Amino acid sequence: MNLPDLLSTMADGRFHSGQNLAHERSVSRTAIHKAIHQLIDMGIEIDRLPGRGYRLRRVIELLDGNKILNLLSAQASRHVAELEIFAEIGSTNTYLLNSASELAPSGQVCIAECQRAGKGRRGNPWVSPFGASITLSLLWRFDNCDHRIGALSLLIAIHLARMLENAGLNQVRLKWPNDIYSRNQKLGGILLDMVGEVGGQVHIVIGIGINVAMPEQMADAIGQPWTDLASEMPGGYPSRNFLAAQTISAMIEAIIEFERDGLLKLQDMWQVYDLCYQRTVRISRFNGYVEGEGAGIDEQGRLLLKTENGLQAYTSGEVSLRLAA
């Protein structure tokens, strides 16, 4: 059963009888019944009424490669080598890491309607139900990478925050090092996977997840306060194809800026969106925790914290950050 084709028919939000769906695809009603349950298992909310058939509880805009490519910025269009869209995948980052080992070109993009094994920072799972978010990854190759590469996620986060503001979202904030927030609730995240050594050739895979219209049933699975664009923009949020294109464009613009200017403007730009600035936060470390007041970042992208022992700097690899209760 071609699930994207079935979803495309049902994407209008109207009821469709099992008989018609089966007839149109030359399959049995049992095949349709099984396919509907597969969609439900993927996190898609479907109403089922005897005599009327099946209906998506919310209209889903399916991702369209041609639309996304046509909506890219001029700069991004020049650098996207390939765009692949999957109905379902384990992890877009893992897919591109495997592609990179097979010499895939810089600028390859992978987007998924649904991730089965999405991952966030420090190995935490990233929940990506079908058609409810922007879930994509970008492969980029650097010929001569230096130690500043670790702060690239901060620069990408800034460009994504600007993109969301331009799309009409108010109160965008960033939680160091790679989380996107709105009204103290997590809206999205960034994950960088790097292969290679500083000073030589390196390739990175940058994964982005932005909640667009998440099913309420996902709340327990996420396990922390979260929000989505549907909640933050009740008057209407941009199309997923537009958001995907703008996300890719923002990522590439951040990388080009990094290659040209390094981290020259990072500190000042970060402070505009810094969720933790002048707020009490808790840093969890391997040997306990430290509380202090957020004091921005330094020129290398390290978190600055005012503590009882003075101003301390932390790198993203050694700590986990939370706002204090």
Side-chain angles (χ1 to χ4, degrees):
M1 175 64 66
N2 187 330
L3 295 182
D5 171 67
L6 182 60
L7 273 172
S8 181
T9 298
M10 299 175 63
D12 56 12
R14 300 175 181 176
F15 276 102
H16 295 265
S17 73
Q19 181 176 346
N20 287 342
L21 292 172
H23 177 74
E24 291 165 359
R25 287 155 185 80
S26 300
V27 298
S28 67
R29 290 282 301 276
T30 299
I32 294 296
H33 179 76
K34 290 180 178 179
I36 292 295
H37 278 277
Q38 284 182 268
L39 296 177
I40 292 171
D41 289 341
M42 292 164 65
I44 300 173
E45 298 173 302
I46 298 178
D47 293 321
R48 293 165 287 176
L49 287 180
R52 300 196 65 184
Y54 308 101
R55 179 184 67 179
L56 297 186
R57 195 165 297 169
R58 59 183 177 85
V59 175
I60 294 178
E61 178 199 9
L62 298 177
L63 296 171
D64 183 308
N66 289 329
K67 289 181 180 179
I68 293 171
L69 290 172
N70 288 333
L71 290 167
L72 292 173
S73 68
Q75 186 177 60
S77 293
R78 292 193 296 271
H79 289 89
V80 170
E82 183 179 10
L83 174 68
E84 295 180 279
I85 297 178
F86 293 89
E88 186 177 17
I89 199 170
S91 160
T92 56
N93 263 37
T94 299
Y95 175 79
L96 284 190
L97 286 170
N98 291 335
S99 297
S101 68
E102 299 172 0
L103 304 181
S106 186
Q108 183 174 357
V109 179
C110 171
I111 311 179
E113 295 280 12
C114 171
Q115 279 192 132
R116 283 292 188 185
K119 56 182 179 177
R121 185 169 172 262
R122 303 174 75 90
N124 293 320
W126 185 267
V127 179
S128 307
F130 193 99
S133 63
I134 299 299
T135 305
L136 62 85
S137 297
L138 167 69
L139 168 65
W140 203 269
R141 297 183 181 276
F142 294 86
D143 291 329
N144 186 17
C145 175
D146 63 33
H147 67 278
R148 299 173 300 174
I149 192 69
L152 178 58
S153 65
L154 279 70
L155 192 58
I156 291 171
I158 291 166
H159 279 256
L160 290 173
R162 289 175 175 172
M163 178 273 290
L164 290 167
E165 279 187 331
N166 291 335
L169 179 64
N170 297 320
Q171 302 184 52
V172 184
R173 293 293 181 267
L174 299 174
K175 185 171 79 69
W176 181 90
N178 53 10
D179 288 339
I180 304 168
Y181 271 63
S182 181
R183 294 185 303 109
N184 291 324
Q185 299 177 98
K186 188 169 179 177
L187 176 70
I190 303 164
L191 176 67
L192 260 65
D193 285 316
M194 185 175 79
V195 178
E197 295 184 1
V198 171
Q201 290 187 333
V202 166
H203 66 260
I204 60 171
V205 173
I206 309 152
I208 305 291
I210 300 174
N211 300 331
V212 177
M214 299 283 281
E216 291 184 6
Q217 68 194 50
M218 292 293 107
D220 292 338
I222 294 176
Q224 65 174 297
W226 62 273
T227 189
D228 57 16
L229 293 179
S231 302
E232 300 301 312
M233 304 172 73
Y237 53 89
S239 79
R240 291 177 68 233
N241 285 296
F242 174 82
L243 286 168
Q246 293 300 298
T247 297
I248 296 166
S249 298
M251 295 165 72
I252 290 176
E253 287 160 9
I255 293 171
I256 298 300
E257 179 179 326
F258 176 78
E259 292 179 323
R260 183 185 66 239
D261 302 328
L263 305 176
L264 186 63
K265 304 174 183 177
L266 181 65
Q267 279 181 287
D268 291 339
M269 292 189 298
W270 182 265
Q271 187 156 335
V272 174
Y273 299 102
D274 191 349
L275 178 72
C276 300
Y277 186 67
Q278 296 184 334
R279 297 178 68 174
T280 301
V281 298
R282 172 176 287 194
I283 294 288
S284 298
R285 309 180 68 185
F286 65 92
N287 60 348
Y289 67 88
V290 177
E291 281 197 0
E293 180 183 295
I297 61 173
D298 67 10
E299 68 278 359
Q300 299 177 47
R302 297 182 300 177
L303 176 70
L304 297 177
L305 199 65
K306 292 179 182 178
T307 73
E308 58 184 15
N309 296 318
L311 190 65
Q312 306 291 323
Y314 298 92
T315 62
S316 60
E318 64 183 7
V319 299
S320 177
L321 173 67
R322 289 286 184 270
L323 290 170

